[in-house]
Amino acid sequence: MWLPCRCTTKYVAASIRRGVSASFLHVLRRGRSSWNSAAFMPESAGFEGVSGRDALHDYSVSHSENFWAAVARQRLNWIRPFDAVQDCDLSQGRIKWFEGGKLNVSVNCLDRHVHTCPERVALIWERDERGSEVRYTYRELLEMTCRLGNLLRRHGVKKGDCVTIYMPTCPLAVASMLACARIGAAHNVVFAGFSSEALAERIRDAQSSTVITVNQGVRGGKITELKRTVDAAVQSCPTVRQVFVAMRTEKRVEMADRDIALEEEMLKEDVVCEPAAMDSEDVLFLLYTSGSTGKPKGLVHTQAGYLLYAALTHRYVFGYHDGDVFGCVADIGWITGHSYTVYGPLANGGTTVLFESTPVYPDPGRYWDMVERLRINQFYGAPTAIRLLIRYGDQWVKKYDRSSLTTLGSVGEPINTEAWEWYNRVVGEGRCPVVDTWWQTETGGICIAPKPSEPDAEIVPGMAMRPFFGIKPVLMDTEGKLLTSNNTSGALCMAQPWPGMARTIHNNHQRFLETYFHPYPGYFFTGDGAYRSQEGYYQITGRLDDVINVSGHRIGTAEIEDVVVSFTLFLYPYHICDAVCSDEAHLSDFILIISVTQFAKRLPKTRSGKIMRRVLRKVVDCDLEGLGDLSTLDDPAAVQEIIEGHEKVL
Ligand code: WT7
């Protein structure tokens, strides 16, 4: 059991802030308990000479093939066993895991649990309308998935096709993802807040002939016309042959020739659907994410490695046990929703919550009311939402019984100390470890997090801390040299491949190589900077490129500028984040979600016309001393204007 040790974490936090070397803080650690790695992680029982968390991590990195082979054999059900554990070469950007193996992801997420516990609840759909949650057992979810799989097959969807899913977080969306996996089609879930242009761009890039959507979405008490958005999008998508339309509300919508009523047609299908035998390295899904140029990248994840990594991290980072209720509030349109609302929990036979609403609807107590009502054990959310809720006061939290909670997760951006402390003290009553999980769409699952650790190990607020099993982070200096010492900062790279990594960018392998493998040959480059403390703990310092994180979603500044330019305004958005939660705005139209916007007549540009974003960032951070070298600016007066404008906004 994890024992709360608030004075330790507080003390460490204060010390870190003061920049005190944390090494002497070891004295604050409690005596090591006799921690048994095989009891903790049954998959590790055969690893010779391994005891203790650190030894297990060392083994997972130094004997990576043994480690992943054992875990893959025990955690996944295989139709045919794999011949080779891995065939990877980071210097070439080649990543292949478990070749020769055949499996079906939907069977791993559904059928095997239906055999052992058909009536266990798989999904709890926390609908936007508070208190109207709906539960689906594993048997029901398998039935739904099979009907959908048969329907897609009957309409010509084949192995290797890519189906675009444009739906809110709901059981039919999950069943659609799993139905694709069942018949061997790839899915491409597009966040249902994206505009018709953004959707069209993703449909075209993925070359989808099939789209699945709903008539209308409901979020924060407001209706969104999702079918209408799809109608507009497919105008410019000649590949689209058919659009399946589910009914989230009663409202009838106009149906064209290509449109098919989803539920009606599903009823005609059989509840048994033969699963396709997929190769480990067949595509499971594409997921588009922002890069530092305007064009989104369709990252490709494959079957076995992705599922294994999502399942293992879900189990061990959150301490998920059979019978627990896992509450990840991320939308399924993001990788967090894929890995920790859908694939990780279902592969582990877990009960997962599908959160359709917002943290402030109908009031700022929504999350904690849900925790009480659904008896959620692990809660996983974004720092942005936490910061937003802090402003409404502790009473919205304290009103509700949170005794079911055991672990609190954070993801998407650095969690500042104030938010960390509040999450820990107010939400978790000091009982629950806060796990700040660092990862990306590209990594498939969590790579750095305070857990798993030995029960008495410290957690430093605001630090992601420890690499997960099989993960070997390194830091690089600006010349591309490996930084070997501690208490240092650099570019965060990974020195070893792991099964959850993305395999390529759809239709653009060259961009994949250039973005992730060319900057530091032989390493995977994350795009983030990090600090490694005296003790070897990691703290993520943020993006090194022109990508910003908004409410746990990644947006390239180039994309924002595209939108902004289309509105013929010049502005620099910040604090966009919190508005996503409070305004229920659409991410697609970034302009709508800018809550605190500073308008500027002009932006600081270099003589060659590049916007000096670091200057804007410093102004936003109120760090005027850190503005740095401004000598290449075309017109330094622009900076002064921005500083004055910023003071007004504050
Ligand atoms: C980027 C990835 C991972 C799912 C959500 C976002 C930032 C993510 C943390 C964290 C500091 C974080 C990084 C990363 N990020 N988690 N715990 N601490 N920064 O996925 O859209 O692919 O964005 O989010 O900058 O590169 P994504």
Side-chain angles (χ1 to χ4, degrees), residues 46-270:
F47 302 159
E48 227 157 276
V50 175
S51 76
R53 192 269 176 197
D54 293 347
L56 184 53
H57 180 263
D58 288 348
Y59 185 92
S60 73
V61 173
S62 62
H63 296 72
S64 134
E65 292 218 1
N66 284 358
F67 178 85
W68 288 115
V71 175
R73 284 192 196 105
Q74 292 177 55
R75 283 250 146 212
L76 298 182
N77 275 20
W78 295 87
I79 297 170
R80 181 188 187 280
F82 48 89
D83 302 318
V85 181
Q86 59 138 339
D87 172 18
C88 301
D89 180 353
L90 293 185
S91 69
Q92 307 273 316
R94 183 175 73 240
I95 309 135
K96 291 176 179 180
W97 287 86
F98 312 118
E99 276 182 306
K102 284 188 184 289
L103 79 170
N104 183 281
V105 165
S106 80
V107 169
N108 275 275
C109 289
L110 300 172
D111 305 57
R112 60 172 167 163
H113 311 310
V114 171
H115 289 141
T116 54
C117 44
E119 300 311 316
R120 181 184 290 175
V121 175
L123 309 178
I124 308 177
W125 182 20
E126 172 74 3
R127 301 167 77 241
D128 191 55
E129 301 85 343
R130 168 145 77 180
S132 68
E133 68 272 10
V134 188
R135 290 176 165 77
Y136 291 78
T137 64
Y138 270 92
R139 188 178 48 74
E140 289 166 330
L141 182 57
L142 174 62
E143 266 189 37
M144 216 193 314
T145 301
C146 284
R147 286 181 191 272
L148 250 161
N150 288 329
L151 181 63
L152 292 174
R153 263 193 189 140
R154 181 155 65 82
H155 285 267
V157 179
K158 294 184 304 294
K159 198 167 163 172
D161 291 350
C162 179
V163 174
T164 294
I165 298 172
Y166 185 73
M167 300 169 100
T169 300
C170 63
L172 271 174
V174 175
S176 298
M177 294 163 76
L178 294 168
C180 289
R182 193 154 194 97
I183 65 172
H187 58 70
N188 165 33
V189 180
V190 177
F191 175 55
F194 274 136
S195 66
S196 59
E197 295 83 35
L199 172 61
E201 188 181 10
R202 286 157 177 77
I203 294 174
R204 280 196 301 266
D205 192 80
Q207 296 143 300
S208 286
S209 56
T210 304
V211 177
I212 311 180
T213 190
V214 296
N215 59 339
Q216 295 180 313
V218 185
R219 193 157 176 269
K222 295 196 187 105
I223 299 286
T224 46
E225 301 292 342
L226 297 185
K227 167 66 162 61
R228 220 180 273 165
T229 309
V230 172
D231 288 345
V234 300
Q235 295 284 319
S236 61
C237 299
T239 52
V240 174
R241 274 193 289 118
Q242 52 195 0
V243 177
F244 292 93
V245 185
M247 298 291 279
R248 169 60 181 85
T249 64
E250 303 286 299
K251 179 84 193 294
R252 299 224 144 265
V253 289
E254 223 172 279
M255 299 288 273
D257 283 350
R258 64 169 172 263
D259 300 333
I260 301 161
L262 186 75
E263 291 97 334
E264 261 175 65
E265 291 299 313
M266 271 172 73
L267 281 177
K268 300 177 188 160
E269 299 293 338
D270 196 0

Side-chain angles (χ1 to χ4, degrees), residues 287-290 299 330 334-337 340 380 383 410-415 435-443 445-446 448 462-464 492 526-529 539-545 547-549 551-555:
L287 189 61
Y288 284 84
T289 188
S290 299
L299 286 157
W334 311 110
I335 190 69
T336 313
Y340 300 109
Y380 194 26
S410 167
V411 64
E413 58 197 305
I415 177 163
V435 288
D436 174 9
T437 61
W438 176 88
W439 59 297
Q440 323 174 284
T441 307
E442 292 84 343
T443 68
I446 294 163
I448 308 181
M463 283 188 111
L492 179 65
T526 64
D528 282 320
Q539 176 170 34
I540 311 304
T541 48
R543 302 291 305 186
L544 297 171
D545 54 17
V547 171
I548 58 171
N549 286 298
S551 186
H553 311 322
R554 199 161 91 184
I555 301 172

